Structure formats: C-alpha cells, structure tokens
Amino acid sequence: MSIQYRKILELHAQKVVQRNIAAATGNSRPKIAEIIKRAKEEVLVPPFTDEMDDEWFEALLFPHKKRESKGRQLPDFEHIHTELAKSNVTLSLLHYEYEAMCRQNNVIPYAYRTFCQYYHEYAQKYKATMRIKRKPGETMEVDWAGTTLSLTDSDTGEIVKAYLFVATLPCSQYGYCEARLSMKQEDWLVSHIHAYKYFGGVTEILVPDNLKTGVTRHRSGEAVLNSTYRELASHYNTIILPARVRTPKDKANVEGSVKILSTWIIAALRNEKFFTLIELNQAVREKLDEFNLRPFTKKYKKGNRKDAFISEEQFALQPLPRVPYKMATWKTAAVQLDYHTNVENMFYSVPYEYIQNKVDIKVTKDLVEIFYKDSRIASHKRLYGKLGQFSTNHDHLPENHQLYLDYTPKEAIKWAESIGEATTEVVRYLLKSAKVEKQALKATLRLKNFGRKYSSEAIEQACQDIIKIASAPTVPVIERLLRSNQQQEQPHNASAQNTYGFTRGAAYFGIEGEKDNDIR
C-alpha cells in the first residue's frame, strides 16, 4: 500500500489523533509518527501547493528511498559521519571500505562522487557540522578583534580601550571571547588558558594570527615562535601553526567569527558604560552565551553552535592538563663572580662552575629556573619582599665556601676545647663580643686556620699570653704573638751565650687602641 504523505500531514494539521489518521489512510502508526517528525524538521505546514504530491513529499522526507530504488546499496551515513571525526580518516578511505562491503554482500556500490554528494546532503540536512574539510577537535583559531571595547575611569571619566580576544572551533563554530586591557603577551596567553577552560578541552592544532606576542620573527619563510608561547603549546599538548602573512584563508573561520562577534557583542554594548574589567567581561559573557545559543542562520543547518559543539565536537577534544599553564617570562644574564644571578634585584645561586657564563632564566609566579644550553642547572623558590635577598643552594658553592657555611658557634667552641682552656676562653669571648655572628665565626675560623702553620701548643700559648696582657683579645694580635713566639723558640747563635731580655709593653703588640670591632 502506498503512503499518503500529504493526507497524513493535512489530517495532523487538523489535530486528528494518529490512531484515526492510521484508520483513514491505512498506514501504520509508527510510519505516521516518523512522517510527522520529519515534516516538523523541515517545517512543513499546510496549505500545500498542487505540486506537493506524495512523490514530492517522499523525495523530500525520505531521499534514500529514491536512491535505494536504483538497486544500489545506500551507505550508512551515520557511520560515515562518526568515522570522519577520527584522526586520519577520509571520505576516500570510507568509500573504499564501503565498496569492499558491497562486493562482499553482492550489491552495487555508488561511485565515489555520488557517495560524497549523498553524504554532503545528509550532513547538511541532519547534522550541524560537516566532516569533510574540518574534523572535530582538530583546530582552534585565535585572534584579536579589530574593533575595541571601552571602560570609563570612575575618577577622571577618561575612556580606556579594551581589546576583545576571540577563539573559535571551526568544526562546530563554537566561540569564546573575553576583554583584556592590552594585547601584550601576558594577556594573549592568559586568554588562551581561559579559552581552553571554557571549551573544556584542547584541540590538536592552534592557529594564531602572526602577532608579535606569539611569533618572534620569520626565518626562511617559517614563523619562529617565542619561547613562552612554545611552552604553553607544550603544556597543553597542542601544535601551533601560525597563519601565513596576508593569507586570511588560513584562519577563515576565526576571521568570520571576529566579524560576527564584533557585531553581536561589541556593537551590542556600544551604549553601555563599564567601570571595571570584571563588569565588562560579565556583559561580554552574557552576549557570548547568546551568540552560541543563537540558531544557525543557514536553512540547511539545524540547532545552534552550542548544540553542535556538545553533540559533534566536544568528544574529540583532548583532556585539559591537571593544572593550568603558569605564566613565565624569560631573560638572559651572566653568572656573577659570587655564583649568583640577578633577577629583579633578587639573587639566585647556580653551580660555581658556571661563573661568568651566560644563562637563560625562566621566571614564574612561584619559581625561578636557570638553564645553560637548554639544560636546567638550578631551581629556586621565587623571592618576594625586601630587595637584595639571596637564595643559595649549598651544593652550588666551592668546597672551601661550603666549609664556611657549615661552620657554627658550636663547632668553633668544640675545636677550641680540643686545643686548650685559653683558646676556649678566647673563642667564647670572640663569639660573645661580636655584633654579627658571621663576623665572629669568620674570626674564629681564621684562628682555627692558624693550625695549618702552628702547632696546637703554640696556639694555646699565644692565647694564654694575650689573656695576660689584654682584656679584649683579637685575632691579629694572636697572630703577631704566634710569630714572635716562633722566633724566640728558634736556636740562638752559638757565640751568643749570654741573653739580654727586655720587657715588651702592650703597645708593641698593638693592644692600645684595639677595639671590639677589630675582630676579623
């Protein structure tokens, strides 16, 4: 029995229930329900013209019936649409697999050209996106809008420009935008981070315009990306392919989205006043949501950008990294003679072997990393607060400097006790009288180093002597006493049997005028 398409739709328009329509036409209720559903999708309502007969309705609502009548195997277009979303899958490959299946089932396949034509018609009618030129989750295109927004300074009334960052996914045409106060590198990168968060995933490829914030220079016809932009791409596991200079077709979708959003958002907000960037971006987000929910204007496209994104593209995005990318800046500096580098008047150590070498320094909010020829040689927590602070890694110091850092008052007293009571008394005095502990430790370490030239007994004797003649012993005086005592112990000339002694006063040893701050 033939299907009475026109009568079914006319009775449905008269609000006749499907049970009675089935009785009147002799067609099954499931078929009637399917016809009504297809007619709603095509927005078919009476009155119908004379040319709109049953054959016309069948060709419109069920085009595959006409194709199948030719005796050929109709492709599974839903399967084709799903498979085209996968990496490296093309219509050519799917047609080859379709032909192999037809030969196996002893049916006639459609030629490649007709195969593509039918898929194109199917996708236009029933899907929001086309899978021929653009794959879902493959590309995100980014740019700055040519037209600016504005803020009003609440104190002066001055108008401040705000720039609109735009990102779009070409497959679903789903868009994102936000306002920034400048087009500098930090604003550019932060906007990327926010776009990925808004989309909830990452595309395989990122296509920016040839902006100075992302592209450093061109070399041999290729764009050279700046290091921070490369790091962001690496963090999100995406590849940056900058659009060629003066080649807008390389980013046609974002160019189109920029133009549409300029009208939909910037023009729509032209008469409103905003006093903070937060207020402005709240209004921008409202207009963005309206834009993504706005029905497609082309008749063959169903739904809106958000629907297309959720059903056709969201599944193909790569997952976001566990933590968002942290902004970083780079600088080049030479390692100073004290094996430290200067970063904004804070000093960070590197292994002493790199003294006077050029190093690359990566600075984030929390971390300072230092690289030599692409190898990281040091990492420090970033310093804040008073300028001139030092972050020093103990392992970066030469051995003799490490010894100094490891030397403590406890160690100094322990050594002095191994020499004798007088030496211990002198060391305790030096530690107690010094205004700065490091100054005292330096003095005691110098005293300890006398052991390389003089015996422990000689050091103890010198300390005993200085205690007798001075209330404020100093290391320089002890050193003079050691030299003097050593000279006195040397054998005299055999001809000089008689000795003539005399008493040296405190002035000889430099006691007079010595002060506590002479410790060194």
Side-chain angles (χ1 to χ4, degrees):
M1 181 180 294
S2 61
I3 299 175
Q4 301 180 50
Y5 294 98
R6 179 166 178 150
K7 187 172 184 179
I8 289 170
L9 294 175
E10 288 176 339
L11 290 173
H12 175 69
Q14 296 169 19
K15 301 190 182 305
V16 177
V17 297
Q18 291 184 19
R19 180 184 295 107
N20 293 340
I21 295 175
T25 61
N27 299 128
S28 67
R29 288 171 62 186
K31 191 63 180 178
I32 291 170
E34 184 181 10
I35 291 169
I36 292 171
K37 179 183 176 183
R38 293 284 182 93
K40 285 181 178 178
E41 292 174 353
E42 296 294 336
V43 196
L44 292 173
V45 293
F48 302 130
T49 62
D50 294 339
E51 64 177 7
M52 298 169 70
D53 55 15
D54 288 340
E55 185 177 354
W56 185 91
F57 280 110
E58 182 177 83
L60 177 65
L61 301 178
F62 301 95
H64 60 278
K65 292 179 69 68
K66 184 176 180 181
R67 296 167 188 162
E68 288 175 332
S69 67
K70 296 180 180 180
R72 299 177 183 271
Q73 176 69 42
L74 194 68
D76 183 346
F77 294 119
E78 184 63 34
H79 171 75
I80 292 169
H81 191 72
T82 301
E83 290 298 303
L84 273 175
K86 298 177 181 179
S87 297
N88 303 318
V89 177
T90 64
L91 276 175
S92 177
L93 173 63
L94 293 173
H95 180 257
Y96 174 80
E97 294 175 348
Y98 158 74
E99 282 186 318
M101 184 269 294
C102 288
R103 285 194 297 270
Q104 185 178 354
N105 296 333
N106 295 317
V107 294
I108 304 172
Y110 282 100
Y112 177 70
R113 183 175 179 180
T114 308
F115 176 88
C116 294
Q117 177 188 342
Y118 284 173
Y119 167 70
H120 195 280
E121 292 174 2
Y122 165 84
Q124 283 187 332
K125 187 177 293 290
Y126 302 113
K127 298 294 179 182
T129 65
M130 288 293 298
R131 300 281 174 81
I132 295 177
K133 293 183 179 180
R134 297 288 186 179
K135 286 185 178 292
E138 183 180 50
T139 306
M140 181 174 85
E141 297 177 342
V142 292
D143 202 357
W144 292 106
T147 311
T148 58
L149 294 157
S150 62
L151 294 172
T152 302
D153 189 307
S154 56
D155 295 326
T156 65
E158 179 187 358
I159 302 300
V160 179
K161 285 184 179 180
Y163 303 88
L164 192 70
F165 169 88
V166 179
T168 189
L169 304 178
C171 181
S172 61
Q173 296 185 33
Y174 194 49
Y176 171 77
C177 61
E178 67 173 274
R180 306 294 299 180
L181 291 178
S182 81
M183 294 192 291
K184 295 180 179 178
Q185 179 173 279
E186 182 175 352
D187 295 280
W188 175 246
L189 298 181
V190 168
S191 295
H192 281 65
I193 296 168
H194 293 171
Y196 285 132
K197 182 179 179 181
Y198 181 82
F199 293 139
V202 183
T203 57
E204 296 176 14
I205 300 170
L206 174 61
V207 180
D209 194 3
N210 274 279
L211 301 171
K212 290 182 179 179
T213 48
V215 179
T216 304
R217 63 185 186 279
H218 285 78
R219 181 176 59 201
S220 301
E222 294 185 0
V224 178
L225 304 172
N226 68 50
S227 56
T228 310
Y229 205 23
R230 284 200 313 270
E231 275 200 347
L232 178 138
S234 176
H235 185 82
Y236 285 97
N237 193 30
T238 188
I239 299 171
I240 299 177
L241 296 177
R244 292 170 293 174
V245 179
R246 293 183 296 275
T247 313
K249 288 184 179 180
D250 284 1
K251 49 183 177 59
N253 287 279
V254 76
E255 292 282 1
S257 295
V258 168
K259 185 176 181 181
I260 296 171
L261 283 171
S262 296
T263 301
W264 190 259
I265 294 178
I266 297 178
L269 299 176
R270 66 190 182 281
N271 294 323
E272 296 189 36
K273 276 193 174 183
F274 303 97
F275 298 96
T276 67
L277 189 63
I278 293 176
E279 289 179 5
L280 175 58
N281 271 320
Q282 286 175 344
V284 168
R285 177 59 65 88
E286 290 176 4
K287 292 298 179 182
L288 173 65
D289 292 340
E290 290 178 13
F291 172 78
N292 283 326
L293 291 172
R294 181 188 180 194
F296 287 120
T297 54
K298 294 182 179 179
K299 292 182 180 180
Y300 63 79
K301 281 203 170 190
K302 306 297 181 183
N304 54 55
R305 289 172 173 81
K306 186 171 184 178
D307 292 338
F309 169 72
I310 293 173
S311 62
E312 303 278 332
E313 187 155 28
Q314 190 175 38
F315 75 94
L317 296 177
Q318 302 175 76
L320 290 170
R322 187 172 56 86
V323 293
Y325 174 71
K326 292 184 178 180
M327 286 292 302
T329 56
W330 286 83
K331 63 173 292 186
T332 300
V335 180
Q336 300 174 4
L337 293 174
D338 63 354
Y339 38 83
H340 285 74
T341 58
N342 184 343
V343 179
E344 298 177 358
N345 290 320
M346 299 291 191
F347 301 91
Y348 303 87
S349 69
V350 301
Y352 72 93
E353 295 91 347
Y354 296 96
I355 287 174
Q356 293 187 316
N357 279 295
K358 291 265 187 174
V359 292
D360 295 312
I361 305 171
K362 177 186 174 184
V363 184
T364 66
K365 182 180 179 181
D366 305 312
L367 200 64
V368 172
E369 296 177 280
I370 304 167
F371 296 81
Y372 179 73
K373 295 183 177 179
D374 297 327
S375 296
R376 189 174 69 175
I377 59 175
S379 178
H380 297 267
K381 185 177 180 181
R382 189 172 180 183
L383 298 173
Y384 288 97
K386 184 179 178 181
L387 299 180
Q389 297 182 62
F390 282 77
S391 176
T392 304
N393 186 325
H394 182 276
D395 295 333
H396 294 164
L397 280 62
E399 289 186 9
N400 58 330
H401 289 208
Q402 291 182 20
L403 177 64
Y404 173 70
L405 284 187
D406 289 339
Y407 200 58
T408 64
K410 186 176 180 181
E411 290 290 329
I413 293 171
K414 183 179 179 181
W415 166 80
E417 289 174 344
S418 70
I419 303 300
E421 293 182 3
T423 305
T424 303
E425 184 178 345
V426 169
V427 167
R428 288 186 182 280
Y429 172 79
L430 294 174
L431 292 172
K432 183 179 179 180
S433 60
K435 295 179 180 179
V436 181
E437 185 180 89
K438 284 187 177 181
Q439 183 185 19
L441 287 172
K442 187 176 180 181
T444 60
L445 188 58
R446 183 181 173 190
L447 180 60
K448 181 180 178 180
N449 288 339
F450 290 159
R452 298 175 182 176
K453 185 176 180 181
Y454 304 101
S455 66
S456 298
E457 292 76 9
I459 295 174
E460 176 67 12
Q461 182 62 52
C463 289
Q464 290 175 2
D465 292 344
I466 198 171
I467 290 172
K468 292 176 182 178
I469 61 176
S471 60
T474 64
V475 175
V477 174
I478 294 173
E479 185 177 18
R480 289 199 289 271
L481 284 168
L482 282 167
R483 286 200 301 265
S484 175
N485 291 342
Q486 185 183 53
Q487 291 171 1
Q488 289 181 16
E489 290 173 2
Q490 290 176 355
H492 293 281
N493 192 300
S495 61
Q497 296 295 326
N498 297 322
T499 57
Y500 300 92
F502 58 89
T503 302
R504 297 187 178 98
Y508 175 84
F509 296 104
I511 300 299
E512 292 182 359
E514 296 281 3
K515 300 182 183 295
D516 290 349
N517 60 6
D518 286 333
I519 297 173
R520 55 189 180 273

